[in-house]
Amino acid sequence: MDRPGAENIAGQACSFTNEDENETFYLRGLKLAQIREKGINPYGERFERTSLAEEIKENYEIIQGQRVAVAGRLMAKRGHGKATFADLQDLSGRIQIYLRSNEIGEEAYALFGKVDLGDILGVEGSVFKTRLGEVTIAVQRFVILSKCLRTLPEKWHGLKDIELRYRQRYLDLIVNPDVKKTFIIRSKIIQAVRRFLENRGFLEVETPMMHPIPGGAAARPFITHHNTLDIDLYLRIAPELYLKRLLVGGFEKVYEINRNFRNEGISTKHNPEFTMLELYQAYADYVDMMNLTEELLHNVAVEVLGSAKIDCEGQEIDLSPSWKIIPMSEAVKEYTGLDFNEINSDGEAVRAAEEIGLEAEKPGTWGTVLNQVFEERVEPKLIQPTFIIDYPVDISPLAKRKENEPRLTSRFELFIMGREIANAFSELNDPIDQRMRFEEQAKKRLAGDDLSHMMDEDYLRALEYGMPPAGGLGIGIDRLVMILTGLSSIRDIILFPILKPKEQGSHENKDL
RNA sequence: GAGCCAUUAGCUCAGCUGGUAGAGCACCUGACUUUUAAUCAGGGUGUCCGGGGUUCGAGUCCCCGAUGGCUCACCA
């Protein structure tokens, strides 16, 4: 590149990749240098604000004529010779600013000519309304707080390219106001959950994210390595077993909101790292958890959205209590006609599934087949909030058995919009039963099922000291946010969803 | 992992049966002191995702690859 000064923008030695060699970047670099030549630092210091854009607009009657100071990003500029209108955007929204040469002086007005769309400015001036009624700040003084060297996405269409929106989320946030709103709602949902639990006496705790033995869920883990100890560790797939150790230790109501990591497929409903709420309450059971779940979600919806009725992908979801409760076998009977209560062997169960056109999974026990039929034929149809209870013991290695029905556990999952939102059970606190379940799981593992639970002696030892009976609940925060915001892709409610890195290198070495 | 679709200027997009690459916004030059998708007069700033191939000639056709989206599989 043989443009003068391009490799030495603003007097600073720096290198740019080919990608950056567009005209705009070069020209803005020159403006940056010109601003510096005037003795002005285009990357300014702290700026004392008096107001946010929306506050000024909302309180115009009171604030009219007063001097205000606002800061934000320049989003539009309309020059009229010796006067210029522009729009400044801060967290709250946008406000118009107005600069006149004879008001701020010719030198300052000329400097404003070096200001580009995307620059971050601080302005001071008095509030007035234009002829057309727009609340505007008549600028008396402005400072450049940060120079923008690149072109912002288009003002009218915004940033639509989905890949760019995820890879450069900051642009998405600058240019698409709804995106900002979504993530504010996400934050409010989590705050509301914490407040709700705090009010009920739950203690927030943090348990390890790196586990010597991954447990508490059926999922493939990520493996990492600790150098000094020279051991492999697993990023946690669930915090469950650690939280229950805390019940043994005497904490009676605990919860954790944090990331889980599962090394599995990526889709609009699955991100490899996702946020989970898990809570445990001593001396309670899964029915208590059902009530808690219902109250929690209803409460959060009303608090954050102002209503228990939410619009989700064109469907109205009503989170007002009380939600339907259906045993899994009854739900299956209702939607397929198969009555698993009348089925008494694994072989029979497999044949029954095949009769309705399902290919039963390999080993295929009564419980796994029941669950499979449920997932394939019932789950997608559960649109309004529905508790499915009485899960088979085969797929619930950490849940307490029902006393009068040993094939089943005291467990429920909550479904909304055909998606699993919550999972809860009466926690298995019998160390002998837990040991047998782990052994059962270990057998499956040996047979090649790498999703089965690993034997965890340390956890068993904790149970052997005695864990109070307890109810435990897990809620997928991302999926909850999806329901409450009505968005159908998990990537739209995670700020930086996982994406494959773009290929590098092709342009990196070209300059050398 | 499989199928389908997409990838063209900073952004949003057009580009037919193969014939020297276009628009709007943004940007650059000039005019303009209440505009608001400001306006007016000029100016295209490009590795058409990458690599091969067919052809006199490829953004366009064929093959391979990259990334993304959707569907499916996986994920109880």
Side-chain angles (χ1 to χ4, degrees):
Chain A
M1 172 168 187
D2 55 355
R3 295 160 175 149
E7 72 291 336
N8 194 14
I9 283 176
Q12 293 173 313
C14 53
S15 64
F16 295 100
T17 58
N18 284 14
E19 179 195 11
D20 301 323
E21 284 182 27
N22 68 55
E23 196 69 21
T24 305
F25 191 77
Y26 166 72
L27 287 163
R28 289 190 174 204
L30 285 188
K31 283 185 195 166
L32 184 78
Q34 288 162 3
I35 291 166
R36 280 223 160 92
E37 273 163 25
K38 296 184 185 194
I40 295 165
N41 180 4
Y43 296 98
E45 304 285 337
R46 64 175 250 113
F47 181 83
E48 192 88 32
R49 289 197 276 188
T50 63
S51 329
L52 292 175
E54 281 304 320
E55 288 171 6
I56 295 171
K57 290 201 264 187
E58 276 166 24
N59 302 309
Y60 175 72
E61 299 304 330
I62 305 158
I63 215 165
Q64 173 182 15
Q66 289 179 28
R67 204 178 166 86
V68 293
V70 301
R73 195 180 286 277
L74 195 75
M75 298 303 289
K77 201 178 175 189
R78 296 175 291 279
H80 297 264
K82 297 250 181 276
T84 298
F85 288 94
D87 298 336
L88 213 57
Q89 173 173 292
D90 64 19
L91 177 70
S92 72
R94 287 189 190 188
I95 189 154
Q96 179 167 266
I97 61 174
Y98 179 55
L99 295 92
R100 286 194 307 168
S101 173
N102 57 359
E103 177 81 31
I104 62 168
E106 270 179 39
E107 201 177 327
Y109 194 76
L111 177 64
F112 198 74
K114 305 288 178 205
V115 168
D116 293 304
L117 292 192
D119 289 3
I120 296 173
L121 305 179
V123 309
E124 264 179 69
S126 54
V127 179
F128 76 108
K129 248 183 198 174
T130 61
R131 206 188 280 160
L132 293 169
E134 174 111 12
V135 176
T136 303
I137 300 171
V139 176
Q140 278 136 4
R141 193 180 80 89
F142 77 90
V143 284
I144 301 170
L145 298 174
S146 189
K147 190 92 189 98
C148 173
L149 295 177
R150 296 177 183 268
T151 324
L152 289 184
E154 212 236 4
K155 62 178 175 186
W156 195 243
H157 298 95
L159 185 65
K160 284 192 174 165
D161 186 306
I162 291 172
E163 191 176 350
L164 283 182
R165 287 187 44 225
Y166 298 152
R167 284 191 198 279
Q168 292 178 268
R169 180 69 89 181
Y170 46 91
L171 290 181
D172 196 23
L173 289 167
I174 290 170
V175 119
N176 297 326
D178 285 350
V179 174
K180 203 182 267 172
K181 267 186 224 154
T182 298
F183 287 103
I184 290 171
I185 289 176
R186 181 186 171 114
S187 176
K188 284 187 174 162
I189 289 169
I190 294 172
Q191 282 171 31
V193 169
R194 285 205 163 97
R195 214 174 302 128
F196 178 93
L197 293 174
E198 199 188 321
N199 288 340
R200 276 164 181 72
F202 280 86
L203 183 76
E204 181 168 12
V205 295
E206 290 163 281
T207 65
M209 310 279 272
M210 295 193 287
H211 292 183
I213 298 170
R220 287 182 196 89
F222 288 92
I223 303 173
T224 187
H225 187 79
H226 189 281
N227 288 344
T228 312
L229 295 178
D230 193 24
I231 51 166
D232 282 344
L233 289 167
Y234 300 89
L235 300 190
R236 77 175 185 196
I237 55 175
E240 173 154 355
L241 301 186
Y242 284 92
L243 291 170
K244 289 200 277 198
R245 283 173 172 97
L246 296 179
L247 293 180
V248 172
F251 285 122
E252 296 179 354
K253 288 178 165 185
V254 292
Y255 77 98
E256 180 163 9
I257 295 179
N258 219 320
R259 228 61 72 77
N260 288 349
F261 306 87
R262 298 189 183 174
N263 204 343
E264 277 149 6
I266 296 169
S267 76
T268 46
K269 313 233 170 340
H270 303 264
N271 198 59
E273 52 175 319
F274 60 99
T275 302
M276 190 79 176
L277 159 68
E278 282 203 17
L279 67 85
Y280 293 86
Q281 180 174 347
Y283 311 114
D285 68 3
Y286 81 114
V287 177
D288 296 308
M289 292 300 106
M290 242 187 288
N291 293 329
L292 186 79
T293 304
E294 205 172 75
E295 271 181 72
L296 172 64
L297 296 198
H298 179 252
N299 223 283
V300 167
V302 170
E303 203 168 309
V304 176
L305 305 173
S307 167
K309 291 187 178 159
I310 51 187
D311 177 45
C312 194
E313 296 168 50
Q315 308 243 26
E316 190 186 76
I317 303 294
D318 188 356
L319 294 176
S320 310
S322 304
W323 304 339
K324 257 194 260 174
I325 302 173
I326 314 174
M328 182 183 275
S329 59
E330 264 180 43
V332 165
K333 192 173 166 189
E334 188 184 327
Y335 284 90
T336 68
L338 292 183
D339 189 351
F340 273 73
N341 291 323
E342 302 295 313
I343 293 174
N344 290 310
S345 77
D346 297 343
E348 244 182 285
V350 170
R351 278 195 299 281
E354 280 164 356
E355 270 169 36
I356 60 162
L358 288 182
E359 201 176 317
E361 285 156 17
K362 309 126 210 167
T365 64
W366 180 85
T368 60
V369 173
L370 169 59
N371 183 56
Q372 191 191 346
V373 175
F374 169 76
E375 283 185 350
E376 296 194 25
R377 293 298 166 86
V378 183
E379 202 176 298
K381 293 175 177 147
L382 303 175
I383 302 301
Q384 294 300 325
T386 306
F387 290 116
I388 296 296
I389 61 169
D390 296 352
Y391 274 65
V393 69
D394 319 37
I395 57 159
S396 313
L398 301 163
K400 213 179 183 75
R401 254 179 242 271
K402 293 203 101 166
E403 279 196 19
N404 45 1
E405 272 203 87
R407 293 195 294 192
L408 301 177
T409 57
S410 299
R411 173 181 176 186
F412 74 79
E413 286 193 0
L414 168 68
F415 295 89
I416 304 175
M417 290 293 291
R419 295 176 209 150
E420 177 195 335
I421 301 297
N423 178 18
F425 34 88
S426 300
E427 301 298 334
L428 176 56
N429 64 341
D430 174 346
I432 312 298
D433 192 357
Q434 184 66 75
R435 182 174 292 278
M436 292 188 317
R437 307 269 193 103
F438 277 162
E439 279 166 1
E440 194 57 39
Q441 293 280 312
K443 258 188 241 164
K444 284 194 191 171
R445 235 188 137 72
L446 272 178
D449 178 8
D450 59 352
L451 293 177
S452 290
H453 215 285
M454 290 186 193
M455 175 64 76
D456 190 337
E457 286 291 349
D458 190 72
Y459 175 66
L460 286 172
R461 180 170 51 194
L463 285 192
E464 285 159 9
Y465 280 96
M467 180 177 89
L473 167 67
I475 294 181
I477 294 291
D478 306 279
R479 291 193 181 167
L480 175 63
V481 174
M482 287 167 73
I483 297 287
L484 294 180
T485 56
L487 291 167
S488 59
S489 171
I490 200 168
R491 296 184 195 109
D492 288 327
I493 52 96
I494 290 178
L495 280 166
F496 298 99
I498 212 156
L499 293 179
K500 229 176 180 179
K502 278 280 195 190
E503 254 190 322
Q504 296 233 320
S506 56
H507 63 61
E508 299 259 295
N509 303 318
K510 248 185 190 170
D511 283 343
L512 302 171

